Amino acid sequence: MSLGSLASDPELQKFVATKELENQITAQIHHLTNICFDKCLESSGSASDLSARQTTCLQNCVERFLDCSVLITNRTVQRIQQGR
């Protein structure tokens, strides 16, 4: 199969489009997580000076990041199993 025929393969194009969308979603999740961390640490002098509120805030950021990562992983596995 030539490179030209691979580029025009509809299944390959669909796969690439899906991967690009997943990458965009993942990048957005990372960006939002960074914003979350920044908001939690706005008034902190150093990591050793974290208040209970900041610690809880950071813990929530991490939990949401993990939730999103697990969701993306599960959806990807489902698509692979369905042959998409």
Side-chain angles (χ1 to χ4, degrees), residues 14 25-26 33 35 48 52 63 83-84:
K14 186 176 180 180
I25 292 169
T26 300
T33 301
I35 291 172
S48 62
E63 288 173 3
R84 287 185 177 177

Side-chain angles (χ1 to χ4, degrees), residues 24-34 65 68-69 72:
Q24 290 173 355
I25 292 169
T26 300
Q28 186 65 27
I29 291 169
H30 284 273
H31 175 70
L32 293 173
T33 301
N34 285 336
F65 175 80
C68 290
S69 297
I72 290 171

Side-chain angles (χ1 to χ4, degrees), residues 17 37 46-47 53 59 62 64 66 75:
F37 272 58
S46 70
R53 182 175 167 263
Q59 187 173 17
V62 169
R64 295 304 72 79
L66 293 174
R75 295 297 293 263

Side-chain angles (χ1 to χ4, degrees), residues 6-76:
L6 280 176
S8 63
D9 180 15
E11 286 295 318
L12 181 59
Q13 290 176 353
K14 186 176 180 180
F15 174 79
V16 169
T18 300
K19 285 299 175 188
E20 286 176 352
L21 181 59
E22 288 174 6
N23 288 339
Q24 290 173 355
I25 292 169
T26 300
Q28 186 65 27
I29 291 169
H30 284 273
H31 175 70
L32 293 173
T33 301
N34 285 336
I35 291 172
C36 186
F37 272 58
D38 290 345
K39 292 285 183 189
C40 292
L41 299 176
E42 277 181 341
S43 61
S44 176
S46 70
S48 62
D49 296 335
L50 292 178
S51 68
R53 182 175 167 263
Q54 289 170 316
T55 301
T56 301
C57 182
L58 287 170
Q59 187 173 17
N60 289 334
C61 289
V62 169
E63 288 173 3
R64 295 304 72 79
F65 175 80
L66 293 174
D67 289 344
C68 290
S69 297
V70 167
L71 176 68
I72 290 171
T73 301
N74 289 340
R75 295 297 293 263
T76 302

